[in-house]
Amino acid sequence: MVTLRYHGHSCWQIDEGDYQVLIDPFLTGNDLATVSPDSFDKLDAIIITHGHGDHIGDTEVIARKTGATCISVFEVANYLTARNCTSHAMHVGGSKDFDFGRVKLTIAHHGSSGPNGEYLGSPVGVVLTMGGKKIYHAGDTGLFMDMKLIGEINAPLDVALLPIGDNFTMGIDDAVKAAELLEAWNNIPMHYDTFPQIQADPNEFVVKASAKGIKAEVISPGQLLKIC
Ligand code: NI
Ligand code: MN
């Protein structure tokens, strides 16, 4: 069984058997986060979709404490290696089997830079396969037609985690269209309400998706979703 835990914003913890993977651990400075960076004792990997502070977040601290491998694009991986983290560099379109499962990096239309404006390569989304389940985390992105291809190549996606907050990423209507293109079994909204610029009603996403016959569900920070 695969368990997804939502830690707020775009941070998800995915557990399967003895394996634990964290995506985009933005906890410090996130009032909606229900866990603290020091609450992680064991972690196999941290996947980082891009360098913005609300995604790379507490990666350094958590990675150094747990020894987790930081998986991201070449530029972010190098940035973290230089800060005494164990990293594995990949890039857009590449996939790799790890002990915990398979990681494939997908395109995302957005930016990526470090806290001091460092160039950190391309932003990405990720298709994570663990325990035979496929989870698509879109990262920060606008809507793009190739989501159709991501859904098709990785069919069937079990869950799509989609930003809905607008302003910096897709808003609700575009996220519903994304869900339509991806054809995942279930769609969970993320990247909303953390900042004043991204206030959005996740239930509106669910209602609009349902009206098109698309399953969607709100998972609140601290809640978990089991995929059997
Ligand atoms: Ni961003
Ligand atoms: Mn963001």
Side-chain angles (χ1 to χ4, degrees):
M1 193 202 318
V2 175
T3 305
L4 278 79
R5 277 169 223 280
Y6 188 36
H7 296 317
H9 204 56
S10 294
C11 181
W12 292 85
Q13 180 184 339
I14 296 112
D15 298 348
E16 194 269 323
D18 288 335
Y19 296 112
Q20 291 165 331
V21 174
L22 200 57
I23 304 177
D24 285 357
F26 168 53
L27 304 170
T28 302
N30 177 5
D31 293 341
L32 300 178
T34 52
V35 289
S36 67
D38 56 17
S39 65
F40 298 94
D41 294 319
K42 191 231 166 214
L43 212 51
D44 296 282
I46 303 172
I47 301 171
I48 304 107
T49 62
H50 62 294
H52 290 160
D54 58 320
H55 295 262
I56 200 167
D58 298 291
T59 297
E60 280 184 46
V61 170
I62 300 171
R64 283 197 292 261
K65 183 189 173 195
T66 61
T69 302
C70 301
I71 301 170
S72 192
V73 293
F74 178 77
E75 292 83 355
V76 172
N78 282 353
Y79 174 89
L80 290 166
T81 299
R83 285 160 180 78
N84 297 319
C85 299
T86 303
S87 302
H88 179 90
M90 298 180 64
H91 232 299
V92 179
S95 51
K96 160 107 182 132
D97 285 315
F98 295 89
D99 287 345
F100 62 82
R102 187 171 180 82
V103 172
K104 180 165 189 176
L105 300 185
T106 60
I107 60 168
H109 293 297
H110 192 68
S112 181
S113 53
N116 297 310
E118 300 95 333
Y119 166 73
L120 289 181
S122 312
V124 290
V126 59
V127 176
L128 173 63
T129 309
M130 284 175 75
K133 303 298 179 190
K134 285 183 195 155
I135 298 142
Y136 171 58
H137 184 298
D140 275 2
T141 186
L143 176 64
F144 55 92
M145 191 64 199
D146 286 359
M147 284 179 173
K148 178 86 182 159
L149 191 59
I150 292 171
E152 192 180 306
I153 286 172
N154 299 288
L157 288 170
D158 291 277
V159 181
L161 308 171
L162 302 170
I164 63 157
D166 220 338
N167 193 76
F168 298 114
T169 67
M170 297 187 283
I172 288 172
D173 291 339
D174 284 1
V176 170
K177 185 66 194 177
E180 206 177 326
L181 295 173
L182 289 159
E183 295 191 55
W185 289 115
N186 199 359
N187 298 275
I188 318 279
M190 63 177 182
H191 208 272
Y192 61 89
D193 284 359
T194 326
F195 317 118
Q197 302 97 315
I198 59 170
Q199 296 295 322
D201 177 6
N203 293 307
E204 185 186 333
F205 170 74
V206 171
V207 168
K208 286 183 168 174
S210 302
K212 293 189 166 192
I214 298 166
K215 179 168 167 52
E217 192 177 349
V218 176
I219 303 293
S220 301
Q223 275 192 319
L224 53 83
L225 174 75
K226 290 179 194 289
I227 315 173
C228 298

